[in-house]
Structure formats: C-alpha cells, structure tokens
Amino acid sequence: MKFTPNYYAHSAVFFEVDKEGLREFYEGFMAALPYSLDELFAKIWRTPGFSDWEANFHENSLLRLADWLQCSLEGEDVSGNAGKAPIPPELCNAQPPLWDFTDASREIIVAAGMYYGEVMVRRNPGAAWVHFLKGKSMADYGQPVIGGAVRRVINPVRVATSFAFGVMDGSESRNGLLDAYAFWAQRILVS
C-alpha cells in the first residue's frame, strides 16, 4: 500500500492490507515526513499573518499551527462545493457524510500530524516514531505512531484529524493541539 499524503487515520483500510503493504505505507510515510513538513512550513509562511511562525518543534508552536489550521481547512459537500463543513462524519450515525475535507485540506492535516509527532519526538527523549502492528483490533493498527518511552502509543495524524473536525464544527479552540500535547506529556509519557 503506497503512502498518500492525504490519507485518513480513521480509515479501516489498514485492517485490510497485509503486513508487507503496511510496511510499504510506513516506509513511505517516514520518507515523506521531512518533505511534507517543508511543504507545510512554506504554506504557513506564505499565508498573510503567519510569515513569522517559528517552526521550532517547541510545544508552544502548536498554538500558531492551530491558528493557521483554523483559517486554512476547507471541506466540500457531496456536490463538490468548497466551504466550511457543518458536521464531522463520525457524528452522522452511520449515514453517508454530507461533506468531506478537500484533498488539499487532508494533506494539511497529515502534515500537521507529522509536525505534532515531531514535537513529541524532539522534545521528549525516548519517544520515537514506530510502526504499530500489535493487535489488529486496535484503531491505530498498521499506522505510524509515537511509541518508545510511552505508556501507550499515540497517533499524531489521528490527533490532528480529530482537531480538524473540531475546527470545522466549531467545537475546538486554538488550544486543542497544545492541550492534547500537554495531556500526553503529563499522563502518557514515561517520566
């Protein structure tokens, strides 16, 4: 399974792929990570009001990243009209969603998740990107997650995706990514 920069961490496709395909996806993710971050930084710095954002992998940089995401994400309805989406798909009670993120927004979400993960890895010795292949019944099976010196793995792209849905429905504040990081660092990270 080839890595694509606009995948959904919430997708069930990971349960249907053999381990060789999952390994190919993970290797593609890790190879793309520095390039995806470079593209993310360039997009942010080209946005009026964000040219001074410091991509320093400090947890406080997550606030400005969240601000940028709030003004950059777009959804499209089933007819293809771009705009803010009213309801996240997981809240539609198994009915087909009325909207989805645009491909460009999904790429932004994946790259934001990569940045979020890199903040975890670079700020916390012992934390590392790992390929989660334990327990096919686990939600993050087959995906790149942060593991190592942690009590349980966390999927940064899933965190970014959940934050993005909250941005779109108005339930998420600018502190969402930083709050999620603080929770992880205080309760999940092995001290």
Side-chain angles (χ1 to χ4, degrees):
M1 177 170 123
K2 294 212 181 287
F3 168 74
T4 177
N6 64 355
Y7 77 97
Y8 267 129
H10 295 76
S11 175
V13 71
F14 294 97
F15 302 109
E16 301 166 5
V17 177
D18 64 21
K19 287 198 177 180
E20 180 60 28
L22 294 174
R23 184 189 59 74
E24 181 184 16
F25 180 86
Y26 178 76
E27 289 174 357
F29 178 97
M30 295 308 295
L33 194 147
Y35 304 105
S36 294
L37 292 178
D38 284 347
E39 288 177 21
L40 176 68
F41 301 162
K43 287 176 186 175
I44 293 171
W45 292 328
R46 283 193 309 263
T47 304
F50 290 91
S51 62
D52 62 344
W53 179 64
E54 293 185 44
N56 58 10
F57 300 98
H58 190 278
E59 59 265 23
N60 288 337
S61 67
L62 295 172
L63 285 173
R64 291 284 288 159
L65 174 61
D67 290 341
W68 182 78
L69 286 169
Q70 288 179 324
C71 67
S72 300
L73 294 173
E74 290 186 335
E76 57 188 3
D77 68 21
V78 291
S79 64
N81 296 321
K84 293 288 184 186
I87 303 171
E90 68 266 20
L91 298 180
C92 292
N93 296 330
Q95 297 174 352
L98 302 174
W99 70 278
D100 194 2
F101 286 107
T102 62
D103 284 345
S105 287
R106 289 192 342 199
E107 284 185 29
I108 288 169
I109 294 165
V110 170
M114 290 173 163
Y115 182 80
Y116 181 82
E118 281 294 295
V119 170
M120 295 172 148
V121 168
R122 294 180 188 208
R123 303 292 298 171
N124 300 284
W129 287 100
V130 298
H131 192 194
F132 189 70
L133 293 172
K134 297 178 184 173
K136 199 168 184 176
S137 64
M138 303 298 286
D140 295 320
Y141 177 77
Q143 297 186 54
V145 297
I146 302 301
V150 297
R151 291 184 177 91
R152 66 175 182 205
V153 299
I154 189 165
N155 185 331
V157 174
R158 184 181 297 275
V159 170
T161 303
S162 295
F163 176 77
F165 278 123
V167 165
M168 296 303 274
D169 74 8
S171 67
E172 193 60 73
S173 76
R174 79 180 291 252
N175 295 330
L177 290 176
L178 183 58
D179 289 347
Y181 176 85
F183 178 87
W184 174 81
Q186 293 169 2
R187 294 181 182 88
I188 309 300
L189 187 65
V190 174
S191 23

